[in-house]
């Protein structure tokens, strides 16, 4: 792999930092074949998020809501971690990364071996009944035989419509995950943003928390972000390519890890 000045810079920033937090977004999973939201081929270019992924859509048009979420679940069941997920897992294992905060609901960080991932927008492994608080594996959300037009999934206990355990538009973030993310951003020496447009609030406040607390900021994203001007390093690069080069600079081995050995469907819990 050719040497990259940005990879050398980020590797030295990681080495110098005594406490590093990473924030990831949908861009870390595009190299696993999952679309992001706001790129040219992003999901929100194809469907209106308020009609497909809001609490109002879940309440008022569950048929359309589950058509969208069942497609995402099916697509996710085939997805495997890529070099970006693997690099972040090994950075954590070797003590270079203290907190991993993700907006992603795909569970690919965990499949790659990352631990204690702060899932700030929830997860697609689970479904919840808002009436009786029961939690189920998300398999329950899929229609029989994968039929996207199957009846909307209902709680086996109280018959209320189930909800994927993701944060929908119009819902609050999980309080404990948000508190953990703010704490990590405010106490780190280096905050690294990977694969997010930083257009969604309040998550896009986390780099401000970090910078205002004295941390250095690095951003790896294919497109410019609104916070590039605050960054010590703004690197327009693919997450998998960039993080693999950083790992190489640090002498870390990225050969396949735990996640690649898991069987089909493990990502859905
Ligand atoms: P976006 O789609 O807004 O941004 C993804 C960013 O990743 C874009 O700026 C892409 O240019 C960049 N990108 C794509 N592939 C990349 C790659 N291989 N390497 C590096 N960068 C790449 O997705 P998020 O910022 O994650 O929320 O979106 C945030 C939230 O908006 C999501 O969690 C979701 C969505 O609405 C909810 O559903 C609540």
């Amino acid at each position: 792999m050719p040497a990259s000045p940005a990879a050398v810079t980020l590797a030295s920033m990681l080495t110098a930092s005594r406490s590093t937090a990473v924030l990831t977004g949908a861009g870390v999973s595009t190299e696993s074949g999952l679309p992001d939201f706001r790129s040219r081929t992003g999901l929100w270019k194809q469907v209106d998020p308020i009609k497909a992924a809001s609490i109002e859509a879940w309440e008022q048009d569950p048929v359309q809501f589950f058509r969208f979420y069942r497609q995402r679940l099916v697509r996710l069941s085939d997805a495997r971690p890529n070099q970006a997920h693997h690099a972040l897992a090994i950075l954590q294992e070797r003590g270079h990364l203290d907190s991993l905060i993700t907006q992603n609901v795909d569970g690919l960080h965990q499949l790659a071996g990352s631990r204690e991932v702060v899932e700030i927008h929830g997860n697609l492994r689970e479904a919840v009944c808002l009436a009786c608080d029961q939690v189920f594996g998300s398999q329950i959300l899929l229609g029989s035989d994968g039929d996207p037009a199957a009846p909307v999934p209902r709680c086996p206990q109280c018959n209320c419509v189930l909800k994927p355990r993701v944060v929908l538009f119009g819902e609050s973030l999980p309080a404990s995950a948000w508190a953990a993310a703010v704490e990590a951003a405010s106490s780190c020496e280096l905050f690294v943003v990977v694969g997010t447009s930083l257009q969604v609030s309040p998550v896009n406040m986390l780099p401000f928390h970090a910078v205002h607390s004295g941390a250095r900021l690095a951003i790896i994203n294919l497109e410019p972000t609104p916070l590039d001007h605050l960054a010590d390093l703004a690197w327009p690069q693919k997450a998998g390519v960039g993080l693999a080069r950083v790992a190489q600079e640090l002498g870390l081995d990225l050969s396949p890890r735990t996640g690649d050995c898991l069987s089909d469907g493990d990502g859905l819990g």
Side-chain angles (χ1 to χ4, degrees):
M1 211 182 282
S4 151
V8 173
T9 302
L10 185 50
S12 70
M13 288 167 88
L14 282 160
T15 305
S17 167
R18 286 172 301 176
S19 172
T20 297
V22 172
L23 169 68
T24 66
V28 295
S29 294
T30 56
E31 288 160 79
S32 294
L34 298 175
D36 64 12
F37 297 96
R38 295 176 183 80
S39 292
R40 197 171 40 81
T41 53
L43 286 175
W44 298 159
K45 294 280 158 50
Q46 296 153 37
V47 294
D48 177 348
I50 301 305
K51 289 190 178 147
S54 68
I55 191 70
E56 289 82 10
W58 175 78
E59 284 167 349
Q60 291 164 19
D61 191 356
V63 171
Q64 174 158 345
F65 176 90
F66 280 103
R67 192 173 298 136
F68 174 71
Y69 269 97
R70 282 171 173 158
Q71 282 168 1
R72 283 190 73 187
L73 278 165
V74 168
R75 198 159 192 175
L76 181 53
S77 65
D78 292 331
R80 289 292 169 266
N82 63 54
Q83 294 280 79
H85 302 103
H86 290 306
L88 291 169
I90 197 157
L91 284 172
Q92 183 183 41
E93 186 182 292
R94 298 300 167 83
H96 289 289
L97 193 166
D98 302 277
S99 304
L100 178 55
I101 306 155
T102 189
Q103 297 163 89
N104 298 343
V105 296
D106 56 31
L108 292 182
H109 284 306
Q110 291 90 331
L111 273 183
S114 289
R115 292 165 283 106
E116 296 172 25
V117 182
V118 178
E119 294 179 307
I120 210 155
H121 286 165
N123 74 76
L124 259 179
R125 288 182 303 278
E126 295 168 326
V128 63
C129 174
L130 296 186
C132 71
D133 291 333
Q134 282 288 316
V135 174
F136 305 90
S138 61
Q139 202 66 27
I140 198 170
L141 298 177
L142 291 170
S144 57
D145 302 327
D147 177 3
V152 298
R154 291 184 174 272
C155 176
Q157 315 246 20
C158 64
N159 205 38
C160 290
V161 176
L162 292 168
K163 191 183 87 67
R165 216 172 187 196
V166 297
V167 176
L168 301 175
F169 286 95
E171 287 191 302
S172 307
L173 300 191
S176 60
W178 178 242
V182 171
E183 167 62 23
S186 307
S187 60
C188 67
E189 291 186 356
L190 173 63
F191 194 77
V192 184
V193 172
V194 191
T196 168
S197 62
L198 291 175
Q199 288 187 35
V200 173
S201 178
V203 177
N204 59 4
M205 298 309 293
L206 292 172
F208 286 106
H209 283 287
V211 169
H212 290 160
S213 305
R216 301 177 85 190
L217 175 65
I219 299 177
I220 306 176
N221 201 62
L222 277 181
E223 295 168 302
T225 81
L227 300 191
D228 285 359
H229 65 285
L230 288 180
D232 299 274
L233 173 69
W235 186 11
Q237 175 59 282
K238 282 189 170 181
V241 174
L243 289 172
R245 285 184 178 164
V246 171
Q248 187 185 39
E249 285 301 325
L250 293 167
L252 305 176
D253 176 16
L254 275 195
S255 47
R257 302 165 58 71
T258 334
D260 285 349
C261 303
L262 293 173
S263 60
D264 282 350
D266 278 331
L268 302 182

